[in-house]
Amino acid sequence: KKQFSLYSNRTGIKGQIFFGDVNHKIIETNNYVFTTELKVKGDKNVWDVQFSHIFIGDIKNRNYLSNSNGAYISTTTKYIQVPLNDFEFIVEKYVQKLLDDKDCAIAPYGRHSISCQCEAKDKMGNITLIIQGHKYVFNGGDLLYKSTELCTFGIIVNEKSYDWILGVTFLWKYYTAFDYENSKIVIYSQEPLEEYKVKNVILINCMMYIANTFICIGLIVLRIYLIMNRKKDMNYNYYKEIFTNI
């Protein structure tokens, strides 16, 4: 088979790249029993997938970061790399309180890298990526990993482009198979990835836009009506005064 699979973990056990198939022993041992397929678009040499939304915190609050973006899944990149504007938004909505409380700090060797006390993972919320209709949820424990005596935040700035690059920080939560022959990536997970109905969000946004448009038109019509009535009243009072004086 023209594929390879990747096992990257955080337990201290070495990861593994398996060529030609998946390693069924790793899948069974780690209980990766659920699969989700991602279609790859564009050049087969680049694992380019489309995601629709990125949520910081509670999805119900609709505090989302990006809309209709693409991402490259990379086995050679350690972190999740994001454009500068998105990184600043993540810092503001996700990390800023930890920075204020001194649980995290901007690393001295680069303004776009963050180090945290490892215990800070319990104070972090969720970051959810919606990729081709499924939720990929990451909490503080997924995004912080021990480097020295501190933990490193696994999201940094992509200094070279405006793309999202989903590196090992994204991959180590799953067992991943890269299928060249069928232009797809198969994600093996320990829990089923919850579906997210993106079309419903688009429909709701369209309905809200239409409703707001009708409200604006109604307000304009009401304004015109009031102005015209005011002119009629002014004309009536003007002619009434003339006829009264005759």
Side-chain angles (χ1 to χ4, degrees):
K1 294 181 181 180
K2 293 182 179 180
Q3 72 172 35
F4 71 92
S5 57
L6 176 69
Y7 174 62
S8 180
N9 66 89
R10 309 175 65 179
T11 61
I13 303 172
K14 291 183 179 180
Q16 182 186 87
I17 296 179
F18 199 80
F19 293 96
D21 203 349
V22 297
N23 189 322
H24 295 282
K25 183 177 179 180
I26 289 178
I27 291 173
E28 292 170 6
T29 302
N30 294 276
N31 200 33
Y32 290 118
V33 296
F34 301 96
T35 60
T36 304
E37 293 187 0
L38 295 176
K39 290 295 183 181
V40 179
K41 67 185 185 69
D43 190 344
K44 289 184 180 180
N45 295 320
V46 178
W47 300 100
D48 186 3
V49 298
Q50 193 77 15
F51 61 76
S52 57
H53 292 79
I54 305 165
F55 292 93
I56 307 295
D58 188 359
I59 289 181
K60 292 180 180 179
N61 293 335
R62 299 184 57 75
N63 185 20
Y64 59 85
L65 165 64
S66 297
N67 188 22
S68 298
N69 288 289
Y72 298 100
I73 294 181
S74 172
T75 59
T76 59
T77 303
K78 186 175 184 179
Y79 304 102
I80 295 175
Q81 297 186 14
V82 304
L84 177 59
N85 288 344
D86 289 348
F87 180 80
E88 290 175 344
F89 187 91
I90 290 170
V91 170
E92 177 189 351
K93 299 295 183 182
Y94 193 78
V95 187
Q96 188 60 55
K97 188 175 186 306
L98 297 173
L99 292 172
D100 295 340
D101 294 342
K102 309 301 181 184
D103 290 314
C104 295
I106 303 295
Y109 49 81
R111 59 185 290 264
H112 299 150
S113 178
I114 297 174
S115 295
C116 298
Q117 299 292 334
C118 294
E119 296 77 13
K121 65 182 182 181
D122 299 325
K123 300 180 181 180
M124 291 181 168
N126 294 335
I127 292 180
T128 302
L129 276 65
I130 310 298
I131 305 178
Q132 296 184 12
H134 288 88
K135 298 180 184 178
Y136 294 78
V137 182
F138 298 87
N139 56 34
D142 300 320
L143 296 172
L144 286 183
Y145 61 94
K146 193 169 180 61
S147 50
T148 55
E149 68 278 3
L150 296 174
C151 282
T152 301
F153 186 55
I155 299 178
I156 64 171
V157 172
N158 183 354
E159 303 280 3
K160 297 181 180 180
S161 71
Y162 294 102
D163 299 315
W164 277 66
I165 301 177
L166 307 179
V168 176
T169 302
F170 172 84
L171 294 172
W172 62 26
K173 193 171 181 178
Y174 311 103
Y175 185 93
T176 316
F178 297 83
D179 187 341
Y180 281 97
E181 202 164 8
N182 299 299
S183 298
K184 67 180 181 180
I185 300 171
V186 182
I187 304 291
Y188 293 79
S189 57
Q190 295 173 332
E191 297 178 354
L193 297 176
E194 187 179 348
E195 291 188 13
Y196 183 78
K197 303 298 184 182
V198 178
K199 290 183 178 179
N200 291 344
V201 174
I202 297 174
L203 179 61
I204 291 170
N205 288 338
C206 289
M207 291 177 65
M208 290 178 64
Y209 177 79
I210 293 171
N212 288 333
T213 301
F214 276 109
I215 290 172
C216 290
I217 293 173
L219 291 174
I220 292 171
V221 171
L222 179 61
R223 178 66 175 167
I224 294 172
Y225 173 78
L226 292 174
I227 290 173
M228 295 195 59
N229 277 345
R230 184 180 176 188
K231 285 184 177 180
K232 287 180 180 179
D233 291 340
M234 291 175 64
N235 290 337
Y236 172 77
N237 291 331
Y238 172 75
Y239 287 113
K240 180 180 179 181
E241 183 177 350
I242 292 176
F243 284 112
T244 301
N245 293 330
I246 293 176

